Amino acid sequence: MPNKIMCRMGDGERVWLPAEQIKEDILRGTRDAAERAKIPELTEEECERLFDIMADPSKVVSVSPGEEVIVTDDAVSMLFYADQENSGQGIPMSRTQSLLAYERACAADTISMGHTDYSFKQVKPIINYETQEYYNASQMTTAPFFYGSQPNMGLYFQPDGPYPNPAELLPQGKISEALEAQEIAMEHLSADLIYIGKEMNGVGCEGLNFDTAASAGDADFKATLQAVEKLKALAPGMSIIVGMSSEFVMGMHGDITYKGKRLAGIYPHEQVKVVEEAGADIFGPAINVNTSESIPWNLARAVTFVKETVAVAGIPVHPNVGMGVCGVPMFEVPPVDAVTRASKSLVQIGKADGL
Amino acid sequence: MASAMGGIRTAGDLVAWMQMTRKMKIDEAKTYVADKLGVELIALTDEEIMRQVREDLDIGIITSVSGSAKGIAAKWKIAELLDIDINSVNHFRAKVGI
């Protein structure tokens, strides 16, 4: 493919694009992010730097020595023993063995565990099993050790939970009922998050990861923020990460506020400020991937959002680089060329504190 | 792997503790750890240097050596080295009455 550069689409498909198109995609991507969030575009120099990373002929790219950052994760050690539903390899290993293998064989900066279902609601009835597993493992692990799970307020609505489902009420025009259901579920979720956090702190939990926050919208996000605030007061020695589910908070309710800030529709550079105000220690923005656009377009958007978020943040920012976020293709076996380009771009141009 | 510090293979865990316990951004966290270890910043991800530094300080190393500190013992020493509170270590201290 003379005069063309190997690249990827947002769904992972390999394509060969002319240099001019990659440059154009980078420009369109950064402009899209800037217009949506009303933040600065990448500079001409940064766009050129991003193009250089995209055009690097090496399959795997990396940062320079001294530029490395911290990597946190969402129970990656689970992948050793989990099945395809969790992108796992199905190796017959215990959770503790997986944690130690991840720490020592993969040389992870931090490690984490979580319940296979990975939602706090599912953890509550088995909290004793989880605290026991965490406690036993924490005596053997050396790297910082998180317990992670998702707030996932959707599980509190029928048929999975006790409250009427807003997604069914809204199309019926039952607006006030839909709002009320979310407000009740929000308080229930918040209480559960606090309960589980307190239990984990009781066994010396080093860190708690509220992963994929706001997946059910603004009420889900507020439940998380309330829990962070309460837990940092009750358990200041337990570090807290808040990782997001998408680049903006969906206004499923619309009128939810936290300390006077309306949560619906806020972007990462605004999300980090409320997360910071709640008392969290690390923030993880998640920038959506458009599978129909190229990785240069997607990555330019992600880097634009992340750069502004890091610039305004008073706490470390670790962009999420799982499948389908922050410039990583939406594919369960993400191509290593695309993953390393996302990693390098977010660190060198986005100035991320970690990933 | 493309951008990570290398965990207990180098000084990744130590820098991570500073982000977790003091909310330090990456450059501040690295500088703090390098000062505590008495090494140059660039050495924090240099396996050839950090392997010996970690062994000398007995704060946990990537290879298994019988009798060396690992797990909660290593974290106890890391908390003292970095002058930080580690929740699991404090819990352990309380259990043994120290």
Side-chain angles (χ1 to χ4, degrees):
Chain A
M1 296 287 175
N3 304 320
K4 290 191 176 180
I5 296 165
M6 196 204 85
C7 211
R8 298 271 178 187
M9 296 300 290
D11 63 359
E13 181 190 2
R14 186 157 58 182
V15 290
W16 280 262
L17 302 175
E20 295 71 26
Q21 185 178 338
I22 291 178
K23 289 178 179 175
E24 176 60 25
D25 284 1
I26 289 171
L27 271 179
R28 287 194 304 110
T30 188
R31 282 178 186 155
D32 185 78
E35 285 169 12
R36 285 173 188 270
K38 298 179 175 56
I39 56 177
E41 294 177 15
L42 296 179
T43 65
E44 191 177 336
E45 186 184 354
E46 288 165 338
C47 288
E48 285 174 9
R49 181 81 193 99
L50 185 54
F51 171 78
D52 289 342
I53 294 171
M54 292 294 116
D56 190 316
S58 305
K59 177 177 178 178
V60 174
V61 300
S62 178
V63 298
S64 303
E67 289 183 329
E68 301 93 338
V69 297
I70 295 304
V71 174
T72 46
D73 69 273
D74 51 352
V76 163
S77 64
M78 188 192 298
L79 303 189
F80 286 114
Y81 61 82
D83 70 347
Q84 173 165 323
E85 295 298 310
N86 288 305
S87 300
Q89 288 89 48
I91 303 169
M93 294 170 73
S94 73
R95 293 164 89 186
T96 299
Q97 288 169 332
S98 300
L99 283 161
L100 294 174
Y102 185 52
E103 174 187 89
R104 298 173 193 179
C106 300
D109 292 322
T110 65
I111 58 175
S112 73
M113 64 171 275
H115 174 39
T116 302
D117 200 288
Y118 214 61
S119 290
F120 279 103
K121 181 166 175 275
Q122 319 297 50
V123 172
K124 191 178 179 187
I126 57 159
I127 185 64
N128 290 350
Y129 294 93
E130 295 303 279
T131 51
Q132 180 168 256
E133 191 90 28
Y134 181 95
Y135 179 65
N136 287 342
S138 74
Q139 304 303 295
M140 288 180 271
T141 56
T142 302
F145 181 20
F146 286 88
Y147 185 85
S149 204
Q150 298 180 1
N152 200 357
M153 198 175 79
L155 289 180
Y156 289 76
F157 299 123
Q158 297 165 4
D160 300 308
Y163 306 115
N165 196 322
E168 292 175 352
L169 295 170
L170 287 169
Q172 295 170 28
K174 296 179 177 177
I175 307 299
S176 60
E177 291 89 338
L179 299 183
E180 187 183 4
Q182 291 180 70
E183 289 159 13
I184 296 170
M186 177 178 79
E187 296 305 330
H188 192 160
L189 169 60
S190 196
D192 285 353
L193 300 179
I194 293 165
Y195 170 76
I196 291 163
K198 283 168 67 177
E199 293 293 311
M200 293 306 299
N201 182 63
V203 297
C205 181
E206 296 161 6
L208 198 58
N209 183 359
F210 289 110
D211 183 27
T212 321
S215 61
D218 44 356
D220 182 312
F221 194 28
K222 182 168 182 180
T224 303
L225 295 170
Q226 289 181 157
V228 171
E229 186 178 342
K230 185 76 172 174
L231 285 170
K232 288 308 287 187
L234 293 168
M238 183 170 64
S239 178
I240 293 181
I241 298 179
V242 174
M244 300 301 291
S245 52
S246 68
E247 68 193 33
F248 71 95
V249 177
M250 292 186 295
M252 293 299 289
H253 185 289
D255 288 330
I256 299 287
T257 60
Y258 179 73
K259 294 188 186 292
K261 175 75 175 176
R262 188 166 173 264
L263 299 179
I266 62 173
Y267 281 90
H269 67 291
E270 301 162 300
Q271 295 161 12
V272 71
K273 299 313 287 182
V274 289
V275 166
E276 199 177 312
E277 199 170 352
D281 301 283
I282 297 172
F283 174 66
I287 312 304
N288 307 352
V289 159
N290 183 334
T291 55
S292 300
E293 293 280 2
S294 70
I295 286 301
W297 182 89
N298 279 293
L299 205 41
R301 285 181 87 253
V303 171
T304 305
F305 280 122
V306 168
K307 181 190 161 198
E308 181 65 10
T309 304
V310 172
V312 303
I315 57 176
V317 175
H318 291 196
N320 299 341
V321 282
M323 301 82 109
V325 285
C326 285
V328 175
M330 179 76 81
F331 186 60
E332 70 169 354
V333 188
V336 68
D337 50 89
V339 173
T340 57
R341 277 161 178 76
S343 174
K344 181 172 184 169
S345 306
L346 291 164
V347 172
Q348 289 192 331
I349 306 171
K351 306 296 180 192
D353 300 287
L355 294 169
Chain B
M1 288 293 178
S3 305
M5 289 198 68
I8 61 172
R9 187 177 164 88
T10 55
D13 59 324
L14 308 181
V15 174
W17 283 121
M18 301 320 300
Q19 292 199 336
M20 290 169 63
T21 61
R22 302 269 181 91
K23 304 178 195 274
M24 286 183 179
K25 307 276 264 185
I26 188 68
D27 291 341
E28 185 186 6
K30 284 181 178 176
T31 301
Y32 183 92
V33 171
D35 286 349
K36 288 289 185 184
L37 295 176
V39 300
E40 293 181 29
L41 273 174
I42 195 79
L44 293 177
T45 49
D46 186 337
E47 291 88 344
E48 194 272 331
I49 293 173
M50 283 308 304
R51 173 64 175 77
Q52 193 62 48
V53 169
R54 295 192 75 108
E55 185 166 356
D56 291 346
L57 293 169
D58 200 17
I59 54 172
I61 50 179
I62 192 74
T63 51
S64 183
V65 176
S66 299
S68 64
K70 57 178 70 172
I72 199 73
K75 286 187 279 197
W76 183 311
K77 301 186 77 153
I78 288 168
E80 290 181 341
L81 171 72
L82 298 179
D83 190 24
I84 56 173
D85 280 321
I86 294 178
N87 226 18
S88 60
V89 173
N90 287 347
H91 186 269
F92 187 80
R93 282 179 196 269
K95 289 294 170 193
V96 296
I98 297 176

